[in-house]
Amino acid sequence: RVHAETAAADPPTVLLPGATGFLGSVLLHRLLAAGYAVVVLKRSTSHTGRILDVLPRTASVDLDRVPPDAAFEAHGIDAVVHCANRYGRSGESLVELVEANVLLGVRLLDLAAHHRVPVFLQAGTRLPPDVGPYARSKAQFLEWLRGASDRIAGVEMAMDHVYGPGDDPTGFVTRVVADLVRGVPEIAFTPGEQRRDFLYVDDCAD
């Protein structure tokens, strides 16, 4: 039995893969401000500029040095908020997209279920799978998340394009604004027949 005073003193612990990314970094700041303990899952080579100010307040696990099992074994994880992904905008191969957007998530999902973590929240997309490799890989992981519903509560936050300060230079809004500021004579777009929603990053974090 856990003494009530001890339980009250321990904040819930969130495992946050992708904490160094655009959305993940905003969520990290929000979770810490709300009093959560956060375990950051990253690589030793990850760019930590977005979270450098709060990184000392977290526990950090480097995937290229230890297996993800270490995060679950060393910390009592109460929830996984999975924000790690690759978009394919930087020349990543299909294998790299699948490894980041499917295989890593499946491994974390299996570990979370094994360690009886109550909930696994996935930052997903509303893009239909036939849009491209990124959307297809996210849809594939969603099937695994649904398939694990007998072992863990899975939640997908299906979002359209998230934008705001700190976004990657290859992000759609960031890239278009940069092109406009530079005064480029032409910006190549698709025919523009699709319907897209744009979600400000702070609203997404809320």
Side-chain angles (χ1 to χ4, degrees):
R1 296 180 63 184
V2 179
H3 193 278
E5 292 181 0
T6 303
D10 295 330
T13 300
V14 174
L15 178 65
L16 187 60
T20 61
F22 175 43
L23 174 59
S25 63
V26 175
L27 284 172
L28 175 58
H29 284 84
R30 292 291 189 88
L31 288 167
L32 291 173
Y36 289 89
V38 182
V39 180
V40 170
L41 200 62
K42 62 179 186 65
R43 297 187 182 278
S44 60
T45 55
S46 296
H47 178 63
T48 58
R50 293 185 178 106
I51 63 171
L52 206 55
D53 58 327
V54 293
L55 196 55
R57 295 168 53 194
T58 72
S60 184
V61 175
D62 289 335
L63 279 175
D64 53 335
R65 292 178 173 170
V66 295
D69 312 51
F72 293 89
E73 293 167 358
H75 307 277
I77 304 298
D78 297 295
V80 177
V81 180
H82 185 35
C83 296
N85 62 66
R86 286 180 182 262
Y87 295 100
R89 296 190 296 241
S90 302
E92 299 97 330
S93 67
L94 289 177
V95 172
E96 289 173 315
L97 283 179
V98 171
E99 286 177 344
N101 298 341
V102 183
L103 297 182
L104 174 61
V106 169
R107 186 168 188 185
L108 293 174
L109 180 62
D110 191 46
L111 284 168
H114 176 74
H115 287 272
R116 301 182 183 278
V117 177
V119 63
F120 189 106
L121 191 148
Q122 156 78 358
T125 180
R126 288 183 59 198
L127 291 173
D130 59 359
V131 165
Y134 164 74
R136 188 174 302 113
S137 65
K138 299 296 280 188
Q140 288 169 350
F141 176 72
L142 179 57
E143 290 303 311
W144 286 104
L145 187 63
R146 287 172 174 156
S149 61
D150 60 333
R151 303 172 62 204
I152 188 171
V155 180
E156 186 195 45
M157 301 297 291
M159 301 169 288
D160 269 308
H161 186 79
V162 180
Y163 72 98
D167 194 2
D168 191 273
T170 61
F172 178 76
V173 172
T174 308
R175 180 168 51 84
V176 170
V177 170
D179 286 344
L180 292 172
V181 170
R182 293 202 314 271
V184 299
E186 181 177 299
I187 302 175
F189 290 118
T190 64
E193 297 170 350
Q194 69 272 42
R195 299 184 66 172
R196 294 290 301 275
D197 185 28
F198 291 84
L199 181 60
Y200 189 63
V201 67
D202 284 343
D203 296 328
C204 183
D206 286 343

